[in-house]
Amino acid sequence: MQAEQRTDPLAFHGEGPVWCPSWGGLRWLDMFAGDILSLDGDTVHRRHVGSMVVTVRPRRAGGAVLALQRGFALESTDGTITELGELWSDQLLRLNEGGCDPDGRFYCGSMAFDQHPGAGSLRRLDPDGSVDVVLTGLTISNGLDWSPDGSLAYYNDTATGRIAVFDYSAETGLTGLRSFVEIPAETGFPDGLTVDSQGGVWVALYGGSAVHRYTPDGRLDAVVEVAASRVTACTFGGPNLDELFITTSREGLDEGEEALAGSLFRVDAGVPGLPVREFAG
């Protein structure tokens, strides 16, 4: 499959696409600019929300939960943003990608700006506002999403070169971390991911100019080619949730190199995705 360019190269570091009907469709991020982008037909709207914004997910009550550089924030239905306080003071660390579990809790990982091995962790924001560290020793905490029945969670720590998988339940949380698919370095590095309604895992390959789909038993069965090397994340959207939207980055590229980098891409996936899981807080 070949992805088509959906927007101009508007983002320096495009990330975190999410489709939510109550938002009117697609939102994604220009991460280092601190901007949330939204698509209205062929028009892209841009809203500045902080010095950095790394993840956004809808709230069940309306609005959104945000991960900023060093802390979480809640957006109300009128657009007011309330920051929940910094999680740490170390300016060498930042939050990165995340997502919501089937029980409405919001997870987000962290990493060092210089990608120092083991400096990152995975945190969980509960609906009551409490925050727990659920995993440590990470390097580039990235994509996280759940299987259709909610019993498995797929996860990327990019530096490991693999897609990992956890068992999941509301009572025990994420347990039993193990390898799901090993990805050779020459193929690219596992970044964001999403799961479709058949349990297929779609992973963005940073440096690989592609998104790969793996069946629930770990077999590669689809490749989406993207006309930009730094593929960062993907999500399902459209009226039938059967379009795959793909974000890309210009980070680390010279001026004039890869003219389409930073664009949003799309492709007909041939299988529907799952509705986005929302934060219960």
Side-chain angles (χ1 to χ4, degrees):
M1 292 185 280
Q2 180 69 52
E4 63 182 23
Q5 184 186 11
R6 186 63 181 82
T7 72
D8 291 337
L10 301 172
F12 174 73
H13 188 66
E15 266 286 7
V18 181
W19 181 278
C20 181
S22 65
W23 290 343
L26 186 72
R27 290 185 182 182
W28 73 106
L29 310 174
D30 194 349
M31 179 186 284
F32 296 124
D35 293 347
I36 297 176
L37 308 180
S38 58
L39 193 61
D40 179 12
D42 290 328
T43 302
V44 176
H45 301 283
R46 181 183 289 264
R47 182 186 180 205
H48 186 70
V49 296
S51 61
M52 185 180 297
V53 58
V54 302
T55 310
V56 60
R57 288 294 186 275
R59 299 169 66 188
R60 291 178 183 173
V65 59
L66 311 174
L68 305 176
Q69 184 169 333
R70 293 192 295 274
F72 301 127
L74 298 178
E75 179 191 30
S76 65
T77 54
D78 66 3
T80 301
I81 293 176
T82 303
E83 296 190 20
L84 303 183
E86 289 194 346
L87 297 169
W88 60 80
S89 59
D90 189 344
Q91 297 190 16
L92 300 179
L93 301 177
R94 67 171 178 86
L95 289 168
N96 205 36
E97 288 196 45
C100 291
D101 70 24
D103 298 288
R105 300 175 292 191
F106 178 61
Y107 294 72
C108 191
S110 64
M111 59 179 287
F113 276 99
D114 67 359
Q115 303 179 10
H116 184 78
S121 59
L122 184 65
R123 286 171 165 80
R124 187 188 70 223
L125 173 66
D126 284 4
D128 64 3
S130 61
V131 179
D132 291 309
V133 177
V134 298
L135 195 63
T136 60
L138 307 174
T139 300
I140 306 174
S141 187
N142 248 313
L144 176 66
D145 201 6
W146 276 256
S147 60
D149 67 0
S151 67
L152 299 173
Y154 298 94
Y155 171 69
N156 290 337
D157 180 0
T158 296
T160 65
R162 70 175 186 178
I163 306 170
V165 61
F166 294 95
D167 297 310
Y168 174 80
S169 72
E171 296 73 26
T172 61
L174 300 172
T175 58
L177 178 66
R178 57 198 182 274
S179 181
F180 172 62
V181 171
E182 302 286 336
I183 297 178
E186 61 269 20
T187 303
F189 297 92
D191 201 320
L193 63 78
T194 192
V195 179
D196 65 37
S197 60
Q198 297 178 358
V201 180
W202 301 70
V203 60
L205 294 176
Y206 192 89
S209 304
V211 174
H212 283 184
R213 180 188 190 266
Y214 294 92
T215 61
D217 62 0
R219 177 176 53 85
L220 175 65
D221 80 335
V223 174
V224 180
E225 297 178 351
V226 182
S229 64
R230 288 156 165 76
V231 183
T232 55
C234 54
T235 196
F236 287 93
N240 300 313
L241 289 181
D242 57 359
E243 300 174 54
L244 191 72
F245 291 91
I246 303 164
T247 52
T248 62
S249 175
R250 292 201 52 77
E251 186 181 14
L253 296 175
D254 294 331
E255 186 175 354
E257 187 178 5
E258 292 195 21
L260 301 187
S263 302
L264 177 75
F265 293 82
R266 68 159 299 281
V267 69
D268 292 326
V271 59
L274 298 165
V276 61
R277 291 186 169 95
E278 301 175 328
F279 180 54

